[in-house]
Amino acid sequence: MTLNPNDVWEPSSDHRTPAGTLLSDAARDHLWMHFTRHSVFEDPGSGGLGHSVPIITKGQGWTIWDDRGNEYIDGLSGLFVVQVGHGREELAEAAAKQARELAFFPLWSYAHPSAIELAERLAGYAPGDLNRVFFTTGGGEAVESAWKLAKQYFKLTGRPTKHKVISRAVAYHGTPQGALSITGIPAAKEMFEPLVPGSFRVPNTNQYRAPEHLRDDEKAFGRWAADRIAEAIEFEGPDTVAAVFLEPVQNSGGCFPPPAGYFERVREICDEYDVLLVADEVITSFGRIGSMFASVDFDIRPDIITCAKGMTSGYSPIGAMIASDRLFEPFRKGTTYFPHGYTFGGHPVSAAVALANLDIFEREGLNDRVKHNAPAFKATLDRLLDLPLVGDVRGAGYFYGIELVKDKTTRETFNDEESERLLRGFLSKALFDAGLYCRADDRGDPVVQLAPPLIMGQEQFDDIESRLRSVLTEAENHL
């Protein structure tokens, strides 16, 4: 959340650390928050804005509370993570039970039961012959692992020049150096360049911003967008391209679903040029779109899936790269091995929590719930299209973006200054003040993103729409 510089500073609650420091003061002085402009928390006398750090202290179901006791709807599942909702006692109990039995052991030439069981279970959910599970601690590491595997696989199979990767414009794939190179957001990369060489971009599947002659023909647009991948492979040279990284529904830019026929054509292209197809499902897996993997929902048939977030519903960190039997084949013999790993990859506690989380999915039928409720969620958000500021509502499952425009007729977007004023100057704090935690983002055109816990239903959808409507109506006065 980014705060409005024009707001009056309000003191934080009197909650204190064991050292006696106000939590907000300790956060300001010692906690380096992620993707955060810290200037807003500095003392006004030293050039800051004097805002206190928002502190979330409790969660239950789809509700979260701050340290002042204010209540909010968690409309983003934390960060596309808390699929089964907050406050699930059995997940805490699963963590405690595993920690008592075996708190830690690495997967470096050894194994432990919870990782073994989870690997088998994930392989059972994954499509096709994706039967080999390499655990990480998060999504960026899973993407990093996938690129490294692609490079090594082609070296081991006699095609050592195949090392480049192709991804889409505005797509986010993580912050490690390799994953950041694959990311298609220039502003996220410029401070860390030079990055890993060999990554190239193609157009994404934002049909709202498609070439004008393709906007009303979903299948033609899908074919056009997919063919840009073939074009890039040809331009770089098929003997140099190892993999294509695609999210089933692209997150950054505002939830771009795949047009009809898109992934079918991408699969044909990858087969033709002997290029691996990596489905980056860090967000879209574990019910976010409907099935355990959105690759099933969209019949993607990838060679590798990367996943994380919803695997434990955020109750403990874990991620995974799931690879096909074909990619594992060179590692089955001789002295060959994958010289890559993470100390905490497949952590026993995290794996045990993931198993318990997946038990909840199956017992409560959360995947079917999402598939049943997704059309109603979309229809509820579509009601916002009557607002002058709302240009497009798009997404799938429980994962939607609302694109904001300056002119609905021409689809004119906001310039950087206007976007800054709208999103950070007003919307982020106004949504939070309205009791809705979600994301106002402009890593592309300005959007509001929603990805609520999978336990929500129509009553909560209506509540979210009502709060959004109130704030977006008021936003007209701040343009």
Side-chain angles (χ1 to χ4, degrees):
M1 183 183 79
T2 308
L3 299 173
N4 185 350
N6 299 316
D7 286 343
V8 177
W9 174 79
E10 295 179 2
S12 65
S13 72
D14 60 359
H15 292 210
R16 296 179 180 270
T17 69
T21 313
L22 284 171
L23 281 179
S24 58
D25 289 347
R28 180 197 62 214
D29 295 342
H30 301 293
L31 184 61
W32 199 330
M33 287 171 282
H34 301 194
F35 292 98
T36 298
R37 295 182 184 180
H38 279 261
S39 60
V40 300
F41 307 123
E42 295 299 319
D43 187 279
S46 59
L49 299 176
H51 296 295
S52 59
V53 176
I55 300 171
I56 303 302
T57 59
K58 182 184 175 183
Q60 187 65 45
W62 52 76
T63 306
I64 55 174
W65 288 264
D66 67 16
D67 61 339
R68 297 181 179 89
N70 297 315
E71 183 177 311
Y72 309 88
I73 296 173
D74 182 356
L76 202 64
S77 300
L79 194 61
F80 317 105
V81 170
V82 190
Q83 318 293 63
V84 303
H86 300 273
R88 292 279 191 158
E89 296 267 343
E90 67 190 273
L91 298 185
E93 290 167 1
K97 181 176 183 292
Q98 180 61 53
R100 283 192 292 267
E101 292 177 359
L102 179 68
F104 173 76
F105 212 78
L107 295 178
W108 300 44
S109 299
Y110 296 85
H112 51 76
S114 58
I116 296 168
E117 293 172 24
L118 180 58
E120 181 182 62
R121 195 156 178 182
L122 294 178
Y125 294 138
D129 69 340
L130 273 68
N131 290 315
R132 289 289 174 167
V133 180
F134 183 94
F135 286 114
T136 67
T137 59
E141 290 176 353
V143 170
E144 195 87 359
S145 301
W147 192 3
K148 292 178 80 171
L149 175 60
K151 288 181 178 180
Q152 187 177 3
Y153 171 77
F154 284 117
K155 285 181 171 62
L156 292 174
T157 54
R159 291 158 291 176
T161 60
K162 289 177 78 70
H163 68 281
K164 297 175 184 175
V165 295
I166 292 168
S167 60
R168 296 185 292 204
V170 197
Y172 177 84
H173 291 284
T175 56
Q177 290 287 85
L180 188 57
S181 297
I182 299 172
T183 290
I185 307 170
K189 303 160 73 156
E190 60 186 357
M191 291 299 151
F192 309 107
E193 293 174 332
L195 295 170
V196 180
S199 67
F200 302 89
R201 235 62 57 213
V202 294
N204 57 46
T205 59
N206 182 1
Q207 188 152 1
Y208 185 69
R209 296 294 176 186
E212 195 163 347
H213 69 286
L214 296 172
R215 286 180 184 172
D216 297 323
D217 190 336
E218 181 183 350
K219 194 157 189 178
F221 173 59
R223 176 72 184 224
W224 175 87
D227 283 347
R228 301 289 73 75
I229 296 173
E231 188 177 79
I233 293 171
E234 284 283 358
F235 184 83
E236 291 302 321
D239 59 340
T240 71
V241 179
V244 176
F245 281 73
L246 304 173
E247 297 164 278
V249 179
Q250 182 174 317
N251 168 41
S252 186
C255 303
F256 307 143
Y262 175 78
F263 275 111
E264 180 182 1
R265 176 63 183 140
V266 170
R267 184 69 263 179
E268 291 175 357
I269 291 166
C270 289
D271 289 343
E272 179 181 355
Y273 294 106
D274 194 17
V275 169
L276 303 182
L277 175 55
V278 182
D280 183 352
E281 295 223 35
V282 171
I283 287 177
T284 61
S285 54
F286 306 109
R288 180 55 54 195
I289 305 303
S291 298
M292 283 298 187
F293 294 105
S295 291
V296 174
D297 294 308
F298 298 119
D299 191 25
I300 294 175
R301 294 178 288 131
D303 299 291
I304 299 173
I305 286 176
T306 57
C307 58
K309 294 184 183 287
M311 194 188 308
T312 65
S313 287
Y315 284 69
S316 193
I318 198 169
M321 171 188 71
I322 310 175
S324 69
D325 288 333
R326 174 171 71 100
L327 299 185
F328 187 75
E329 191 61 32
F331 299 91
R332 297 177 68 93
K333 48 188 180 280
T335 59
T336 303
Y337 73 106
F338 189 29
H340 174 62
Y342 300 100
T343 298
F344 297 111
H347 192 283
V349 172
S350 295
V353 172
L355 289 165
N357 180 57
L358 296 172
D359 285 344
I360 293 174
F361 267 81
E362 295 186 356
R363 185 176 68 246
E364 299 184 7
L366 292 184
N367 298 97
D368 288 340
R369 178 183 180 84
V370 171
K371 292 173 185 178
H372 176 76
N373 285 338
F377 188 28
K378 173 70 160 60
T380 304
L381 295 178
D382 277 346
R383 300 201 301 249
L384 296 168
L385 287 166
D386 67 351
L387 298 177
L389 201 60
V390 176
D392 192 29
V393 175
R394 55 180 177 254
Y398 273 37
F399 186 39
Y400 280 93
I402 301 165
E403 182 168 336
L404 309 179
V405 293
K406 187 156 57 173
D407 188 312
K408 290 183 72 156
T409 303
T410 64
R411 305 189 184 190
E412 181 185 0
T413 190
F414 299 93
N415 62 36
D416 290 346
E417 181 182 341
E418 292 167 336
S419 181
E420 174 79 15
R421 189 165 66 247
L422 174 64
L423 297 186
R424 296 173 185 83
F426 175 71
L427 273 181
S428 290
K429 186 174 188 300
L431 289 165
F432 200 60
D433 286 346
L436 177 60
Y437 167 74
C438 57
R439 171 183 259 181
D441 186 32
D442 61 351
R443 295 173 300 172
D445 296 307
V447 294
V448 173
Q449 279 186 292
L450 295 161
L454 309 186
I455 57 175
M456 275 193 186
Q458 188 60 54
E459 182 180 351
Q460 292 75 47
F461 300 158
D462 288 336
D463 195 356
I464 288 172
E465 189 272 342
S466 175
R467 296 179 196 224
L468 281 170
R469 177 174 295 277
S470 175
V471 172
L472 293 174
T473 300
E474 175 62 22
E476 286 286 321
N477 300 323
H478 293 263
L479 296 177

